[in-house]
Amino acid sequence: HYGMARELAAIYGCALKPIESVALPTESDGLSVSIDNSERCSRYAGLVIRNIKNVASPYELKSLLWRVGVRPINLPVDITNYVMLATGQPTHGFDRNHISGSLHVRTAAVGEKLELLDGTMLDLTADDLVIADEKAPVALAGIMGGKLDSILPDTTELILEVASFNALSVRRTAQRFDIRTEASSRYEKGIDPQRVDDAIAVAILMFRKEHPDAKVTGYTDNYPVPLRK
């Protein structure tokens, strides 16, 4: 939606309403991220959000999602979907209590498996880019999160992923497993890594508005080779 507003502003010479700037935490709250292949993941930012409650979203937010064909799930998930629809930048939430140590953006090892959110069990290949913790893959990068490590009914602490993945890499993996998601359909078109900043700002604003008990306590941004403006 914001991208369409930007296009219209450019075409008609109108002022574009800026996304409100937000103050980011200066500490990581223990979250660290490594990127093994910066060509396939040019940027990976993460927010630590505490005091999460898995409750239903208010009707206004549900209505916004319904009207664009997205099924409301719960407040944390609905906020991530709203951010994607507003900015065009997919995000993903991990249950921090189910993540062991740091996050690593890497290719899968031969023989590794991953059960996705929809229950699909994947036999990963060395060509597949994954998000992994210290033990095993927890998400298929740019496509779908893992069933055991994403937002769960008892989630109280959240790691919100906002990242840029290579379009060709996402497309190849999505085609290999015959999986197409809202996230992959956007990553396959190529997303400007600077859009990560917009998504982070909208996410924080939405959590403040819709989930005021939640607290953003940590922020990390691994951006090996910043895009030249």
Side-chain angles (χ1 to χ4, degrees):
H1 286 69
Y2 193 70
M4 293 301 298
R6 185 170 53 236
E7 291 295 313
L8 291 169
I11 292 168
Y12 294 107
C14 304
L16 177 65
K17 181 180 178 179
I19 293 176
E20 185 180 337
S21 60
V22 296
L24 294 169
T26 57
E27 302 293 333
S28 67
D29 194 5
L31 175 63
S32 64
V33 177
S34 66
I35 299 175
D36 288 356
N37 189 331
S38 60
E39 291 184 359
R40 298 182 69 176
C41 177
S42 58
R43 185 178 186 185
Y44 195 104
L47 293 170
V48 177
I49 307 175
R50 295 178 179 266
N51 203 25
I52 290 291
K53 294 180 181 178
N54 196 324
V55 296
S57 297
Y59 179 78
E60 180 183 8
L61 179 55
K62 287 182 178 180
S63 179
L64 289 172
L65 297 176
W66 277 325
R67 282 182 282 171
V68 291
V70 175
R71 179 172 61 91
I73 305 295
N74 56 52
L75 184 53
V77 173
D78 292 350
I79 288 176
T80 66
N81 282 329
Y82 176 90
V83 171
M84 177 185 68
L85 294 162
T87 66
Q89 169 68 53
T91 67
H92 180 68
F94 295 103
D95 185 318
R96 192 183 188 190
N97 293 320
H98 288 246
I99 298 296
S100 300
S102 305
L103 290 176
H104 306 278
V105 186
R106 61 169 176 83
T107 52
V110 176
E112 283 190 312
K113 296 180 180 293
L114 173 64
E115 185 178 7
L116 298 178
L117 275 168
D118 63 0
T120 302
M121 182 64 75
L122 302 181
D123 291 309
L124 300 170
T125 75
D127 291 327
D128 299 319
L129 192 70
V130 299
I131 314 303
D133 63 8
E134 302 292 349
K135 294 181 178 179
V138 295
L140 195 59
I143 300 175
M144 191 182 293
K147 184 175 183 178
L148 301 179
D149 309 284
S150 299
I151 299 174
L152 303 167
D154 59 351
T155 296
T156 58
E157 294 185 24
L158 184 69
I159 296 174
L160 184 66
E161 165 195 287
V162 190
S164 289
F165 299 111
N166 176 270
L168 184 58
S169 171
V170 172
R171 187 181 304 118
R172 284 175 173 169
T173 296
Q175 288 177 342
R176 178 162 44 253
F177 293 117
D178 193 21
I179 300 171
R180 187 168 179 83
T181 63
E182 294 282 355
S184 69
S185 68
R186 287 164 172 80
Y187 280 122
E188 287 177 13
K189 296 178 177 69
I191 298 177
D192 181 346
Q194 291 301 113
R195 200 178 303 187
V196 167
D197 300 311
D198 291 345
I200 289 171
V202 173
I204 291 176
L205 292 170
M206 285 297 292
F207 272 100
R208 286 178 181 172
K209 176 184 177 183
E210 307 291 357
H211 201 339
D213 292 336
K215 304 297 179 186
V216 181
T217 59
Y219 171 66
T220 187
D221 186 3
N222 192 332
Y223 196 3
V225 185
L227 185 70
R228 292 182 61 188
K229 293 184 180 179

